[in-house]
Amino acid sequence: MEIKRIENLSNEDWLQLGSFGYKSTQKYELTKEETQGSFSMHLTLTNLDDIYEKEELNNTDDLKRYEEIIKMGFSYGLYISGSLIALAIVEPQHWNNTMMIWHFQVNEKYIRKGYGRLLINKVNEIAKENGFRAITLETQNTNVPAIHFYMQCGYQIEGIDVSLYTNNDSHNKEIALYMRKKID
């Protein structure tokens, strides 16, 4: 097992990572209350009647953007026997002295074996070594396994965007959660 900086990603590398998506039997349900004198948002973990399944596809524009970010030198991969099994595409954001994880993926055969934690710890280490004050990532209220993983790694929910994916949040199907780890 080796964690190393990624210089570029081939189509073969993406294929080694497998499909990118998740399944969840729970979600964080959002309730909002807004008056002239106060505003509150509350997330409550609820069980779903059916399994929520999402398969995400990286389009050509995503891959081009990832290539640009990788060239910045902060993206890392975890390799076993020369095969890429986990990936963190990370962009430095100098304007606020943070790093943004744009893509974090572990091949489904290697999930819950500690490889994701090793990789995220490497990202945390790189952030500290380079003097960044925090690391930010975005996930969805429906991706409870990822939320709990990031929480176990010291990340906290610090932001909610109810219209990142759609202008119709009345069904509260999928909203963006921003999580952050402050670097000591």
Side-chain angles (χ1 to χ4, degrees):
M1 190 265 324
E2 177 184 24
I3 298 176
K4 63 183 181 179
R5 185 182 330 210
I6 293 177
E7 303 295 330
N8 58 33
L9 285 174
S10 66
N11 286 336
E12 183 179 322
D13 291 327
W14 284 108
L15 291 173
Q16 288 175 356
L17 284 169
S19 62
F20 182 57
Y22 60 90
K23 295 178 185 177
S24 184
T25 59
Q26 299 175 304
K27 78 172 186 175
Y28 280 93
E29 186 78 29
L30 174 70
T31 53
K32 306 191 298 187
E33 187 175 314
E34 190 172 356
T35 67
Q36 284 188 336
S38 70
F39 177 81
S40 67
M41 294 178 134
H42 185 82
L43 294 169
T44 304
L45 185 61
T46 61
N47 292 321
L48 298 172
D49 294 332
D50 298 311
I51 294 174
Y52 185 90
E53 187 170 356
K54 181 173 184 180
E55 185 171 334
E56 297 189 31
L57 302 173
N58 292 310
N59 63 36
T60 305
D61 289 338
D62 292 334
L63 297 177
K64 284 180 185 176
R65 175 74 176 121
Y66 292 160
E67 286 175 19
E68 292 172 16
I69 294 169
I70 288 168
K71 290 176 186 172
M72 296 175 186
F74 292 91
S75 300
Y76 282 80
L78 190 145
Y79 296 80
I80 294 180
S81 301
S83 293
L84 180 65
I85 62 111
L87 169 69
I89 297 178
V90 183
E91 178 182 23
Q93 300 196 324
H94 299 289
W95 70 274
N96 66 355
N97 197 31
T98 65
M99 291 174 52
M100 178 73 177
I101 299 174
W102 285 103
H103 188 88
F104 190 88
Q105 181 177 350
V106 178
N107 180 296
E108 62 188 335
K109 295 176 190 171
Y110 296 93
I111 290 176
R112 292 181 184 79
K113 296 184 186 216
Y115 296 113
R117 184 178 292 271
L118 288 171
L119 186 56
I120 201 115
N121 286 344
K122 179 66 173 181
V123 171
N124 297 342
E125 176 187 313
I126 295 302
K128 187 172 187 169
E129 287 174 2
N130 286 276
F132 290 99
R133 67 176 183 84
I135 304 167
T136 305
L137 59 88
E138 178 269 325
T139 190
Q140 302 80 39
N141 66 316
T142 53
N143 195 349
V144 173
I147 294 166
H148 290 175
F149 166 74
Y150 293 126
M151 285 178 166
Q152 290 170 358
C153 294
Y155 287 71
Q156 298 177 336
I157 296 171
E158 287 202 1
I160 299 170
D161 187 337
V162 297
S163 60
L164 184 65
Y165 309 119
T166 176
N167 284 342
N168 182 8
D169 69 336
S170 63
H171 295 98
N172 199 6
K173 289 195 177 211
E174 191 173 76
I175 58 174
L177 302 180
Y178 289 90
M179 300 184 75
R180 179 169 288 149
K181 178 175 177 64
K182 295 174 184 160
I183 304 300
D184 300 326

